[in-house]
Amino acid sequence: MRTNVFQVLKAVLAAVLFSLAFVLIFTVIIQLFSLPMNVVKPVNQVFKIISVAAGGLIFLRGDKGLVKGTIYGISAVILTYLMYGLISLSLSFSWMFLLEIAFGAIVGGICGIIAVNIKKV
């Protein structure tokens, strides 16, 4: 039980750090190439998906991949959403947030299943 909790916490932390790194790099790219602002939202969604997938694939092991992955995906999305809201000083909840949570649960669950079935080399 304790191992499962630590795996999920490490995966969430990794997803948040990956997401922050992606956003920082993308911010520099926006500044350098003067990209339009309507590009930001879809690219951020892709970054969240990649971050959730990476964190889960790196840190989830053992068994119960679907359960750990789903919990992890939901937690990572909520934490990144809150963090970005605090950074931008504008936190608003909408139906899009519920879709992000659902998508995080799906991506986390799939990555959890894959991660626990990967053989250690």
Side-chain angles (χ1 to χ4, degrees):
M1 171 74 175
R2 188 177 197 157
T3 304
N4 292 337
V5 171
F6 283 125
Q7 284 181 9
V8 169
L9 288 175
K10 288 189 288 188
V12 169
L13 180 62
V16 169
L17 292 176
F18 282 133
S19 185
L20 269 175
F22 287 142
V23 168
L24 288 173
I25 292 168
F26 188 57
T27 302
V28 171
I29 291 171
I30 288 173
Q31 295 298 319
L32 290 175
F33 298 107
S34 301
L35 297 175
M37 292 309 291
N38 62 348
V39 174
V40 173
K41 194 78 163 169
V43 171
N44 279 339
Q45 295 303 322
V46 171
F47 288 159
K48 283 183 186 179
I49 292 166
I50 293 170
S51 298
V52 168
L57 290 173
I58 292 171
F59 288 106
L60 298 181
R61 294 287 180 257
D63 57 354
K64 300 179 186 172
L66 179 62
V67 174
K68 287 192 284 190
T70 303
I71 292 169
Y72 149 70
I74 291 170
S75 301
V77 168
I78 290 172
L79 191 59
T80 55
Y81 194 83
L82 291 172
M83 185 180 59
Y84 291 148
L86 290 173
I87 289 171
S88 67
L89 298 176
S90 64
L91 192 61
S92 62
F93 298 100
S94 67
W95 63 273
M96 270 307 276
F97 179 57
L98 297 176
L99 285 176
E100 285 184 33
I101 290 173
F103 204 59
I106 292 167
V107 171
I110 291 169
C111 288
I113 292 169
I114 293 170
V116 299
N117 288 301
I118 293 175
K119 303 280 187 222
K120 282 192 174 181
V121 184

PDB file of all heavy atoms in Angstrom, residues 51-65:
ATOM      1  N   SER A  51       3.031  14.974 -20.357  1.00  0.00           N
ATOM      2  CA  SER A  51       3.519  14.977 -18.977  1.00  0.00           C
ATOM      3  C   SER A  51       2.897  13.852 -18.162  1.00  0.00           C
ATOM      4  O   SER A  51       3.595  13.157 -17.417  1.00  0.00           O
ATOM      5  CB  SER A  51       3.209  16.319 -18.313  1.00  0.00           C
ATOM      6  OG  SER A  51       3.857  17.363 -18.980  1.00  0.00           O
ATOM      7  N   VAL A  52       1.587  13.668 -18.300  1.00  0.00           N
ATOM      8  CA  VAL A  52       0.915  12.587 -17.569  1.00  0.00           C
ATOM      9  C   VAL A  52       1.445  11.235 -18.031  1.00  0.00           C
ATOM     10  O   VAL A  52       1.736  10.356 -17.214  1.00  0.00           O
ATOM     11  CB  VAL A  52      -0.625  12.687 -17.744  1.00  0.00           C
ATOM     12  CG1 VAL A  52      -1.309  11.433 -17.243  1.00  0.00           C
ATOM     13  CG2 VAL A  52      -1.166  13.904 -17.007  1.00  0.00           C
ATOM     14  N   ALA A  53       1.603  11.079 -19.340  1.00  0.00           N
ATOM     15  CA  ALA A  53       2.117   9.809 -19.865  1.00  0.00           C
ATOM     16  C   ALA A  53       3.536   9.539 -19.367  1.00  0.00           C
ATOM     17  O   ALA A  53       3.844   8.430 -18.919  1.00  0.00           O
ATOM     18  CB  ALA A  53       2.079   9.829 -21.389  1.00  0.00           C
ATOM     19  N   ALA A  54       4.385  10.548 -19.413  1.00  0.00           N
ATOM     20  CA  ALA A  54       5.780  10.360 -19.011  1.00  0.00           C
ATOM     21  C   ALA A  54       5.902  10.017 -17.531  1.00  0.00           C
ATOM     22  O   ALA A  54       6.610   9.078 -17.156  1.00  0.00           O
ATOM     23  CB  ALA A  54       6.588  11.619 -19.329  1.00  0.00           C
ATOM     24  N   GLY A  55       5.220  10.766 -16.678  1.00  0.00           N
ATOM     25  CA  GLY A  55       5.292  10.498 -15.246  1.00  0.00           C
ATOM     26  C   GLY A  55       4.814   9.102 -14.897  1.00  0.00           C
ATOM     27  O   GLY A  55       5.420   8.394 -14.092  1.00  0.00           O
ATOM     28  N   GLY A  56       3.720   8.682 -15.509  1.00  0.00           N
ATOM     29  CA  GLY A  56       3.187   7.348 -15.242  1.00  0.00           C
ATOM     30  C   GLY A  56       4.092   6.244 -15.729  1.00  0.00           C
ATOM     31  O   GLY A  56       4.315   5.244 -15.037  1.00  0.00           O
ATOM     32  N   LEU A  57       4.613   6.407 -16.937  1.00  0.00           N
ATOM     33  CA  LEU A  57       5.478   5.366 -17.493  1.00  0.00           C
ATOM     34  C   LEU A  57       6.791   5.236 -16.729  1.00  0.00           C
ATOM     35  O   LEU A  57       7.362   4.154 -16.648  1.00  0.00           O
ATOM     36  CB  LEU A  57       5.754   5.639 -18.972  1.00  0.00           C
ATOM     37  CG  LEU A  57       4.553   5.459 -19.902  1.00  0.00           C
ATOM     38  CD1 LEU A  57       4.901   5.930 -21.311  1.00  0.00           C
ATOM     39  CD2 LEU A  57       4.081   4.019 -19.919  1.00  0.00           C
ATOM     40  N   ILE A  58       7.256   6.325 -16.149  1.00  0.00           N
ATOM     41  CA  ILE A  58       8.530   6.287 -15.425  1.00  0.00           C
ATOM     42  C   ILE A  58       8.361   5.696 -14.025  1.00  0.00           C
ATOM     43  O   ILE A  58       9.180   4.881 -13.594  1.00  0.00           O
ATOM     44  CB  ILE A  58       9.143   7.701 -15.329  1.00  0.00           C
ATOM     45  CG1 ILE A  58       9.566   8.170 -16.722  1.00  0.00           C
ATOM     46  CG2 ILE A  58      10.329   7.718 -14.375  1.00  0.00           C
ATOM     47  CD1 ILE A  58       9.977   9.622 -16.775  1.00  0.00           C
ATOM     48  N   PHE A  59       7.298   6.065 -13.305  1.00  0.00           N
ATOM     49  CA  PHE A  59       7.243   5.736 -11.882  1.00  0.00           C
ATOM     50  C   PHE A  59       6.243   4.665 -11.460  1.00  0.00           C
ATOM     51  O   PHE A  59       6.340   4.169 -10.348  1.00  0.00           O
ATOM     52  CB  PHE A  59       6.986   7.005 -11.062  1.00  0.00           C
ATOM     53  CG  PHE A  59       8.169   7.912 -11.005  1.00  0.00           C
ATOM     54  CD1 PHE A  59       8.195   9.083 -11.720  1.00  0.00           C
ATOM     55  CD2 PHE A  59       9.281   7.571 -10.250  1.00  0.00           C
ATOM     56  CE1 PHE A  59       9.294   9.918 -11.680  1.00  0.00           C
ATOM     57  CE2 PHE A  59      10.382   8.397 -10.204  1.00  0.00           C
ATOM     58  CZ  PHE A  59      10.393   9.574 -10.921  1.00  0.00           C
ATOM     59  N   LEU A  60       5.282   4.325 -12.282  1.00  0.00           N
ATOM     60  CA  LEU A  60       4.308   3.313 -11.863  1.00  0.00           C
ATOM     61  C   LEU A  60       4.821   1.920 -12.189  1.00  0.00           C
ATOM     62  O   LEU A  60       5.188   1.638 -13.326  1.00  0.00           O
ATOM     63  CB  LEU A  60       2.952   3.557 -12.538  1.00  0.00           C
ATOM     64  CG  LEU A  60       2.271   4.879 -12.207  1.00  0.00           C
ATOM     65  CD1 LEU A  60       0.933   4.969 -12.921  1.00  0.00           C
ATOM     66  CD2 LEU A  60       2.092   5.066 -10.722  1.00  0.00           C
ATOM     67  N   ARG A  61       4.823   1.048 -11.199  1.00  0.00           N
ATOM     68  CA  ARG A  61       5.280  -0.337 -11.352  1.00  0.00           C
ATOM     69  C   ARG A  61       4.441  -1.239 -10.473  1.00  0.00           C
ATOM     70  O   ARG A  61       3.674  -0.783  -9.642  1.00  0.00           O
ATOM     71  CB  ARG A  61       6.762  -0.488 -10.948  1.00  0.00           C
ATOM     72  CG  ARG A  61       7.723   0.248 -11.839  1.00  0.00           C
ATOM     73  CD  ARG A  61       7.844  -0.457 -13.180  1.00  0.00           C
ATOM     74  NE  ARG A  61       8.756   0.233 -14.068  1.00  0.00           N
ATOM     75  CZ  ARG A  61       8.378   1.003 -15.072  1.00  0.00           C
ATOM     76  NH1 ARG A  61       7.122   1.200 -15.335  1.00  0.00           N
ATOM     77  NH2 ARG A  61       9.262   1.581 -15.854  1.00  0.00           N
ATOM     78  N   GLY A  62       4.633  -2.521 -10.610  1.00  0.00           N
ATOM     79  CA  GLY A  62       3.972  -3.483  -9.731  1.00  0.00           C
ATOM     80  C   GLY A  62       2.669  -3.980 -10.297  1.00  0.00           C
ATOM     81  O   GLY A  62       2.631  -4.559 -11.368  1.00  0.00           O
ATOM     82  N   ASP A  63       1.584  -3.717  -9.568  1.00  0.00           N
ATOM     83  CA  ASP A  63       0.266  -4.171 -10.007  1.00  0.00           C
ATOM     84  C   ASP A  63      -0.729  -3.021  -9.873  1.00  0.00           C
ATOM     85  O   ASP A  63      -0.353  -1.903  -9.525  1.00  0.00           O
ATOM     86  CB  ASP A  63      -0.186  -5.375  -9.178  1.00  0.00           C
ATOM     87  CG  ASP A  63      -0.219  -5.085  -7.687  1.00  0.00           C
ATOM     88  OD1 ASP A  63       0.217  -4.002  -7.271  1.00  0.00           O
ATOM     89  OD2 ASP A  63      -0.698  -5.952  -6.934  1.00  0.00           O
ATOM     90  N   LYS A  64      -1.987  -3.287 -10.168  1.00  0.00           N
ATOM     91  CA  LYS A  64      -3.063  -2.296 -10.094  1.00  0.00           C
ATOM     92  C   LYS A  64      -2.765  -1.071 -10.950  1.00  0.00           C
ATOM     93  O   LYS A  64      -2.954   0.078 -10.526  1.00  0.00           O
ATOM     94  CB  LYS A  64      -3.327  -1.886  -8.650  1.00  0.00           C
ATOM     95  CG  LYS A  64      -3.734  -3.026  -7.752  1.00  0.00           C
ATOM     96  CD  LYS A  64      -3.949  -2.555  -6.346  1.00  0.00           C
ATOM     97  CE  LYS A  64      -4.222  -3.757  -5.453  1.00  0.00           C
ATOM     98  NZ  LYS A  64      -4.256  -3.389  -4.057  1.00  0.00           N
ATOM     99  N   GLY A  65      -2.301  -1.301 -12.154  1.00  0.00           N
ATOM    100  CA  GLY A  65      -1.921  -0.196 -13.035  1.00  0.00           C
ATOM    101  C   GLY A  65      -3.076   0.720 -13.389  1.00  0.00           C
ATOM    102  O   GLY A  65      -2.912   1.934 -13.417  1.00  0.00           O
TER     103      GLY A  65
END
